[in-house]
Amino acid sequence: MEALRFHELGLDNRLLKAVADLGWEKPTLIQEKAIPLGIEGKDLLARARTGSGKTAAYSIPIIQNLLESKMTVSEQAVRVLILVPTKELGHQVQQMVRQLTAYCARDIRVADISGQADISAQRPILMEKPDIVVGTPSRVLIHINQKTLCLRESLQALVIDEADLIFSFGFEDDLKTLLCKLPNIYQSYLMSATFNEDVKALKELVLHNPVTLKLEESQLPDSSQLTQYHIQCEEEDKFLLLYTLLKLSLIRGKTLLFVNDVERSYRLKLFLEQFSIPSCVLNSELPVQSRCHIIGQFNKGFYDYIIASDEQALSDSSVKGKKQAGKKKVGKAEKGQDSEYGVSRGIDFQNVSTVLNFDFPLSVDSYIHRAGRTARANNPGVALTFVAHTELSLLKDVEEALGGGSAEACVLHPYRFRMEEVEGFRYRCRDAMRSVTKQAIKEARLKEIKEELLNSEKLKTYFEDNPRDFNLLRHDRPLHPAIVKPHLKNVPDYLIPSSLRSVANTSLKKKKRKRMQPGPSKAPSKKMRKTRDPLKTFKYAKGKKRTDTKKKAES
């Protein structure tokens, strides 16, 4: 049976124009199933893998129903509440809704209150009564208690996005209190990548006679779209391999480098700085405005490499069925870290060509969500994972979960990299690793946090008046708390293995040639060059000059 097109779903013309602008030719499987049911007003419990288009699957029917209700109801009120587990996801959902309402922005307004702005700063936004409010359960509950947000009379639809993370991020009590302050009748959507115990509990609390969409699809795209490799290597070899892959441009395009904690992310950034490889760090210590700005610029192509630490999501994913465990974990979060943070889940990194797991993920779910950052929509992608000998049991768990437990049906193919060919680079990597000390990492963390706080808070008003300058603000500048040795920047030809010379990047050579060219000053004329260069002006004659020299010697 041929898939439906968007124009066959009975959508408003303004919605169809916005969908066309986004370049979507036809709905994904979850969108094709969920949109008609959502327009009918059914409660939905939908499970679909990361990157399958779940946000649009609930946003499109919600906008369609709002446009229809606006034709009969003139009073402005908050009619849709979208709950998200992280601030980054809240920003992303707001952006998606704004794109879909591009041709009806006057009729439908959306506000994101999930960020870290002061409550008082968000009051004027809510006083305008936007049609759609996006926020975390804790922030929404604060506004309801302060009576800056009232939903009991006007709410038509409730969405809980990434429902399997809501409890594990410590929102169980807030959500239960919040549900008591909502009307008795409203349409509900539960969107999740997995059906765990938390989702089942939410189903009992929120849904009434729901339609369950449990799509029969693999957790990751098939091998024709997503290629998965693993390389067995120890700690020092990880750094050596990463240097070789990036410096010789063996990995090309936008790349996400995943590590397991904040300190590792800065260790990796400072290591790459030694070789003049710029990268951004994305972790829970940075202000939410900076994190969203980094993701936005990465999606626009400003940066090639982001080092992401998904430590919060990893710690929570290890909790299975213990509803309070997530909250306790959040309570014990390291000072300065944002408890409502997650990178491996929810965030839409666009056009990522490669996901590189520098540290092996601590759970199967985390591997799936990391690898799901690439090969989204119809784009191809590669997931490359470094595996130490102590992590082989985790690799086995991932293989079994993805259906490749046997050696014949291996999902993560072994990548046969000849380490002996890059042994010449080892001394450079050791030199760089020695420079990245614990003190240098500590200084780098403090320096970046100070800079990002300055960018996101003190300059906020300036950037509102000068949006172009905000777009040019970069997050991949060198931190340089470690000693940087200039000779490590360039790769000598004799070190490049013969088998890699055809694919190695030659841009450094081109830059070198450009520097040797004369500057803006006027070049000397041919006549001047001849007189100045004695080797070019000297002329040897066999006859006359030779006899003249002999006569002078005799006299």
Side-chain angles (χ1 to χ4, degrees):
M1 184 177 177
E2 191 176 347
L4 293 173
R5 299 281 178 172
F6 280 106
H7 68 271
E8 297 175 314
L9 298 175
L11 301 178
D12 189 282
N13 285 334
R14 290 168 287 182
L15 251 177
L16 291 174
K17 286 181 182 178
V19 167
D21 287 349
L22 289 167
W24 299 347
E25 295 182 1
K26 58 183 180 180
T28 62
L29 184 58
I30 182 65
Q31 292 167 0
E32 182 183 349
K33 303 293 183 184
I35 290 173
L37 293 169
I39 293 173
E40 289 177 21
K42 302 282 187 182
D43 280 13
L44 286 179
L45 173 60
R47 188 196 80 173
R49 63 176 168 80
T50 301
S52 58
K54 292 192 296 290
T55 306
Y58 66 76
S59 298
I60 289 175
I62 281 173
I63 295 167
Q64 176 67 27
N65 290 340
L66 280 175
L67 290 172
E68 291 178 0
S69 64
K70 287 272 186 177
M71 297 172 68
T72 57
V73 180
S74 58
E75 183 183 357
Q76 185 65 31
V78 178
R79 303 188 187 280
V80 178
L81 176 64
I82 302 175
L83 298 177
V84 293
T86 67
K87 300 177 181 74
E88 293 90 351
L89 182 56
H91 179 75
Q92 176 186 311
V93 170
Q94 181 198 38
Q95 292 297 107
M96 174 59 69
V97 174
R98 283 184 173 172
Q99 287 175 320
L100 290 170
T101 57
Y103 293 94
C104 50
R106 291 183 181 179
D107 296 319
I108 297 177
R109 288 176 287 174
V110 58
D112 175 23
I113 59 170
S114 61
Q116 287 181 324
D118 293 337
I119 298 296
S120 57
Q122 293 178 340
R123 285 174 187 163
I125 300 171
L126 294 175
M127 285 178 66
E128 296 179 1
K129 297 181 179 179
D131 300 276
I132 302 172
V133 171
V134 184
T136 58
S138 58
R139 184 52 65 101
V140 171
L141 186 59
I142 290 171
H143 281 290
I144 289 177
N145 290 335
Q146 294 190 1
K147 298 182 179 180
T148 53
L149 178 63
C150 182
L151 300 169
R152 190 171 287 279
E153 301 297 328
S154 60
L155 188 70
Q156 294 179 359
L158 169 69
V159 179
I160 302 181
D161 201 354
E162 299 291 350
D164 51 341
L165 291 184
I166 287 287
F167 282 176
S168 64
F169 272 73
F171 293 125
E172 182 177 3
D173 292 341
D174 290 336
L175 183 62
K176 288 179 178 178
T177 307
L178 174 60
L179 292 174
C180 296
K181 299 180 182 294
L182 301 182
N184 294 327
I185 300 174
Y186 51 85
Q187 184 183 10
S188 300
Y189 297 79
L190 278 188
M191 315 300 289
S192 177
T194 59
F195 281 172
N196 57 16
E197 295 298 322
D198 291 343
V199 175
K200 292 175 183 177
L202 277 172
K203 177 184 176 182
E204 300 298 324
L205 287 170
V206 178
L207 301 177
H208 306 280
N209 299 322
V211 176
T212 302
L213 295 178
K214 190 176 179 181
L215 303 183
E216 295 299 326
E217 60 178 0
S218 60
Q219 293 174 295
L220 288 172
D222 59 33
S223 57
S224 63
Q225 186 178 355
L226 174 64
T227 309
Q228 301 176 71
Y229 295 107
H230 77 271
I231 301 178
Q232 193 170 338
C233 54
E234 301 310 315
E235 182 71 0
E236 184 179 300
D237 288 343
K238 286 184 178 183
F239 287 91
L240 174 59
L241 270 172
L242 183 66
Y243 165 77
T244 305
L245 293 172
L246 299 187
K247 197 64 179 177
L248 301 184
S249 294
L250 304 180
I251 290 179
R252 298 182 184 180
K254 293 198 288 188
T255 302
L256 285 177
L257 301 142
F258 276 106
V259 293
N260 287 349
D261 58 61
V262 177
E263 184 178 343
R264 291 282 281 177
S265 65
Y266 282 100
R267 180 179 294 278
L268 206 52
K269 178 177 173 63
L270 294 179
F271 172 78
L272 294 178
E273 277 184 14
Q274 297 286 316
F275 307 104
S276 298
I277 302 174
S279 62
C280 298
V281 167
L282 193 62
N283 62 65
S284 59
E285 291 182 338
L286 301 178
V288 65
Q289 293 93 339
S290 294
R291 301 198 303 253
C292 293
H293 191 242
I294 290 170
I295 295 164
Q297 286 194 323
F298 180 76
N299 289 339
K300 292 176 183 176
F302 280 67
Y303 314 120
D304 287 330
Y305 309 119
I306 281 186
I307 303 168
S309 61
D310 58 337
E311 70 284 346
Q312 178 62 47
L314 285 168
S315 62
D316 291 328
S317 65
S318 62
V319 180
K320 296 181 180 179
K322 296 181 181 178
K323 298 177 185 178
Q324 294 296 333
K327 189 170 183 177
K328 289 177 184 175
K329 194 73 182 178
V330 171
K332 294 178 183 178
E334 194 175 327
K335 189 176 181 182
Q337 292 185 2
D338 186 355
S339 60
E340 299 173 13
Y341 163 83
V343 167
S344 72
R345 290 293 304 274
I347 300 175
D348 185 19
F349 294 102
Q350 297 172 7
N351 301 318
V352 175
S353 62
T354 306
V355 165
L356 195 153
N357 290 313
F358 190 82
D359 292 335
F360 200 93
L362 302 180
S363 70
V364 174
D365 283 346
S366 189
Y367 176 84
I368 291 169
H369 298 310
R370 286 185 185 186
R373 300 297 98 204
T374 186
R376 296 170 77 89
N378 295 318
N379 298 322
V382 175
L384 177 62
T385 304
F386 294 163
V387 188
H389 74 280
T390 56
E391 298 165 333
L392 291 174
S393 60
L394 294 171
L395 174 64
K396 185 178 179 182
D397 292 342
V398 171
E399 285 279 5
E400 290 176 354
L402 297 179
S406 62
E408 293 78 12
C410 184
V411 176
L412 275 73
H413 304 287
Y415 191 88
R416 307 296 182 188
F417 197 92
R418 289 181 237 169
M419 293 298 295
E420 63 274 7
E421 291 195 358
V422 295
E423 280 298 318
F425 295 133
R426 189 176 293 277
Y427 80 93
R428 290 176 153 244
C429 291
R430 285 178 178 170
D431 203 8
M433 289 170 70
R434 279 193 293 268
S435 299
V436 184
T437 62
K438 288 185 177 180
Q439 184 62 29
I441 294 169
K442 184 179 178 181
E443 290 175 8
R445 289 172 73 170
L446 289 172
K447 181 179 178 182
E448 182 151 65
I449 291 169
K450 287 177 182 177
E451 288 181 355
E452 294 299 342
L453 283 171
L454 180 69
N455 293 336
S456 62
E457 296 297 335
K458 292 185 179 180
L459 300 181
K460 187 176 180 182
T461 307
Y462 173 80
F463 286 135
E464 286 175 356
D465 297 333
N466 302 273
R468 290 185 180 179
D469 290 355
F470 184 63
N471 291 331
L472 294 173
L473 181 67
R474 297 190 67 86
H475 304 269
D476 60 347
R477 292 176 179 172
L479 295 173
H480 286 326
I483 299 171
V484 177
K485 301 175 178 62
H487 72 278
L488 295 177
K489 179 179 179 180
N490 301 315
V491 183
D493 288 342
Y494 67 86
L495 284 178
I496 301 176
S498 56
S499 60
L500 297 178
R501 282 177 185 170
S502 59
V503 292
N505 192 5
T506 56
S507 60
L508 290 174
K509 298 176 186 176
K510 292 178 182 176
K511 287 179 183 177
K512 227 174 179 181
R513 288 195 197 104
K514 285 180 181 177
R515 289 195 194 103
M516 293 174 68
Q517 289 175 358
S521 58
K522 189 177 179 182
S525 63
K526 290 182 180 179
K527 190 173 182 180
M528 289 286 287
R529 283 201 298 268
K530 283 182 180 180
T531 55
R532 283 179 185 176
D533 191 345
L535 294 176
K536 290 184 178 179
T537 55
F538 178 76
K539 292 182 180 179
Y540 176 73
K542 286 183 179 180
K544 188 179 178 182
K545 281 190 178 181
R546 195 173 171 187
T547 53
D548 290 344
T549 307
K550 191 176 181 181
K551 286 178 182 179
K552 285 179 183 179
E554 288 174 354
S555 61

